[in-house]
C-alpha cells in the first residue's frame, strides 16, 4: 500500500461574514511565488492525527479565535494539477461567522475580508472552491435558517432582509419577505427597538432556535 | 511536506439500482479478516495519476461494465480509525444505474445486489456512507429528475410511481402523483402500451431530457 501514500490531504475553509450589508469572505495572501500577490482561502494540510472536521476547526480557531461556529463540508477537490508543489486533494468547508464577534482577534495583516462579489482571481483552484461553497450556501439558506449565524442575536427585519438579499443576490419584496418570516413562527419579538440608526428604529427580533429544532424533527419534506 | 504523506486516499461508490420494485445497492464481500463475511461498498485507493471522478468511473467500469452513468460526489469520510490498516480518507460517490443494462457483465460471484432497506451491518464505516449517500439521493430526486437513470427509457406511470415510492420510502397518492408529473411537461407519450404485464397494460412514456435541460436554465429557484 506504500505506493499510495503519494497524495497529501488538506482542508480549505470558506469563511463567510456579513458586514455593512455586504457578504464577505476571509482571505489570506498566498505565500507561494507561483501565486504572488494572489489571495487564497484559509487552509492547511491535515495532520495524521486529526480528522477533517478537526482540521477545519483548528484553522478557524487559529485564524479567527472562534471555536463555536457553523461549519459544513461541501466537496473534495482532487484535480491532478491543482497544487504546484505536488498532488494535494482538498476537502472544502464553509463556515458562517459573525464578523463583529471576532474582529478584535483579527490583527493579522495578511488577512482580509473581501466582498464575495468583487473577487476575480485567486490562487490555486480557490475561486472554484469559493464558488462551489457559495452555491451550496445559497441553496442551504433556502432550506434551513442558517443565515442567523451571520448576524447579531437581536436584529431588525430590515437587517434580516438585507442579509438574505446579499446572499441570494436578489432584491426581495419587503412585505412578502416579512410575511413569510412571520408565518414560520421562528421570530421572537424582543419588544426592543434599534438604536442609533439613520432611519426610523425598527423592532428587534431573536431567532427561535429551539422551536426550529423541534419543527425540523417533524418535517417530512416532500409535498406529494 | 513529506511528513504529510501519511494519509491514503480512496473512493467508495454507492451504486443504486432498481429491480422488482425494490431499491438495491451493489455490494461486495469484504476480503479483510477484520470484516470477515461482511459486505462492503465498491471502492479502491485513488492512484497518484487519477483524479477522484476518474477513480470512481474506473471502479464502476471494472465492476459493472458501464461507462456512461450518473455519478455524484457526496461527502468525504476521514475519521481516524475508519480503516484497520492505517489512515485512509474516502470520498463517497453515489451512482444510479439501470440494473437490466449491465446484468450480463455481472458474473462476479463476490458481487450482489442488496435491497437497501435490508442491510444491517457492513464493513468499515460503509453503513454510514451508504446512509449519507441515500439521504442525499432522496433529497436530490425531490429537486431534479435523476430517478430516470434507474429505469428503462420507456416506462409506465405505475413503474415511475413504484420507483419514487421505493426511493422515498413513502406511499404516494396515485392521482396526485400523476397530476404532478403531467404538470411538469417532462413526460412524452410514446403511444405504446406495456406488454406481458399481469394487469391492464399502461401507457408508456419517455422522459423529455432536452426540455428539462432548457427549463433548468430558466429556473430561478426561490419563490420569495
Amino acid at each position: 500500500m506504500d505506493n499510495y501514500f503519494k497524495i497529501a490531504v488538506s482542508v480549505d475553509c470558506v469563511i463567510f461574514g456579513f458586514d455593512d450589508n455586504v457578504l464577505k469572505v476571509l482571505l489570506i495572501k498566498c505565500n507561494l511565488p507561483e501565486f504572488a500577490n494572489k489571495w487564497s482561502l484559509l487552509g492547511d494540510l491535515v495532520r495524521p492525527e486529526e480528522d477533517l472536521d478537526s482540521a477545519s476547526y483548528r484553522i478557524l480557531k487559529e485564524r479567527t479565535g472562534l471555536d463555536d461556529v457553523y461549519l459544513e463540508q461541501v466537496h473534495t477537490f482532487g484535480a491532478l494539477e491543482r497544487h504546484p508543489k505536488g498532488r494535494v486533494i482538498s476537502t472544502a468547508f464553509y463556515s458562517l461567522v459573525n464578523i463583529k464577534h471576532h474582529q478584535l482577534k483579527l490583527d493579522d495583516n495578511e488577512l482580509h475580508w473581501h466582498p464575495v462579489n468583487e473577487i476575480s482571481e485567486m490562487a490555486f483552484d480557490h475561486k472554484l472552491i469559493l464558488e462551489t461553497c457559495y452555491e451550496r450556501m445559497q441553496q442551504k439558506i433556502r432550506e434551513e435558517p442558517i443565515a442567523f449565524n451571520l448576524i447579531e442575536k437581536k436584529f431588525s427585519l430590515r437587517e434580516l432582509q438585507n442579509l438574505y438579499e446579499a446572499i441570494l443576490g436578489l432584491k426581495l419584496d419587503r412585505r412578502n419577505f416579512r410575511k413569510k418570516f412571520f408565518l414560520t413562527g421562528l421570530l421572537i419579538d424582543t419588544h426592543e427597538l434599534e438604536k442609533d440608526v439613520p432611519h426610523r428604529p425598527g423592532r428587534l427580533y431573536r431567532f427561535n432556535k429551539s422551536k426550529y429544532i423541534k419543527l425540523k424533527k417533524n418535517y417530512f419534506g416532500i409535498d406529494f
Side-chain angles (χ1 to χ4, degrees), chain A:
Chain A
M1 214 161 90
D2 266 3
N3 185 34
Y4 286 96
F5 290 102
K6 295 203 165 148
I7 306 178
V9 176
S10 71
V11 292
D12 281 300
C13 300
V14 178
I15 306 172
F16 288 111
F18 182 64
D19 186 31
D20 217 7
N21 288 339
V22 174
L23 184 70
K24 296 183 176 175
V25 60
L26 190 60
L27 302 181
I28 188 167
K29 268 277 162 72
C30 183
N31 56 13
L32 289 184
E34 289 89 341
F35 298 116
N37 278 319
K38 295 247 163 62
W39 293 93
S40 67
L41 299 168
L42 276 69
D44 197 2
L45 290 164
V46 175
R47 295 174 181 165
E49 75 283 3
E50 68 186 354
D51 64 28
L52 300 173
D53 287 2
S54 307
S56 297
Y57 281 118
R58 171 172 58 79
I59 291 161
L60 276 159
K61 175 78 180 170
E62 284 171 4
R63 293 300 190 172
T64 69
L66 292 173
D67 55 8
D68 180 26
V69 292
Y70 181 88
L71 192 71
E72 182 182 338
Q73 191 197 115
V74 174
H75 194 83
T76 296
F77 294 81
L80 296 180
E81 310 294 342
R82 59 176 298 283
H83 198 297
K85 299 288 185 206
R87 185 81 200 274
V88 184
I89 71 157
S90 187
T91 299
F93 292 76
Y94 75 86
S95 172
L96 304 177
V97 306
N98 184 320
I99 290 187
K100 295 208 177 86
H101 282 181
H102 75 289
Q103 225 156 16
L104 293 176
K105 306 223 181 190
L106 194 70
D107 43 22
D108 187 336
N109 283 328
E110 290 180 300
L111 290 171
H112 187 250
W113 283 104
H114 287 259
V116 169
N117 289 332
E118 290 173 16
I119 297 164
S120 50
E121 269 189 300
M122 291 178 73
F124 310 100
D125 53 357
H126 286 189
K127 187 84 198 299
L128 174 65
I129 296 180
L130 169 61
E131 282 165 2
T132 306
C133 287
Y134 184 27
E135 276 170 31
R136 173 73 66 88
M137 196 263 275
Q138 287 181 313
Q139 182 65 38
K140 190 86 171 201
I141 73 152
R142 290 169 178 148
E143 299 161 3
E144 293 185 34
I146 56 168
F148 294 99
N149 290 292
L150 291 161
I151 48 174
E152 294 288 334
K153 279 207 164 17
K154 295 178 189 176
F155 50 85
S156 69
L157 289 174
R158 177 198 295 258
E159 284 173 312
L160 192 63
Q161 181 169 346
N162 287 343
L163 174 63
Y164 271 76
E165 289 183 343
I167 292 175
L168 295 171
L170 294 171
K171 205 80 196 135
L172 305 171
D173 177 72
R174 184 172 165 274
R175 277 187 57 191
N176 206 11
F177 180 84
R178 287 171 182 233
K179 201 175 99 189
K180 287 214 173 198
F181 257 102
F182 281 122
L183 280 176
T184 65
L186 294 175
L187 296 181
I188 298 170
D189 190 341
T190 67
H191 300 288
E192 295 173 43
L193 292 176
E194 286 180 298
K195 279 172 196 153
D196 304 321
V197 285
H199 48 77
R200 190 170 141 237
R203 198 178 275 265
L204 292 171
Y205 294 86
R206 282 191 302 115
F207 170 55
N208 195 337
K209 195 170 180 177
S210 56
K211 181 166 178 188
Y212 172 68
I213 290 166
K214 230 189 208 158
L215 282 175
K216 203 182 166 187
K217 268 196 206 139
N218 299 321
Y219 175 67
F220 284 94
I222 193 147
D223 66 336
F224 271 120

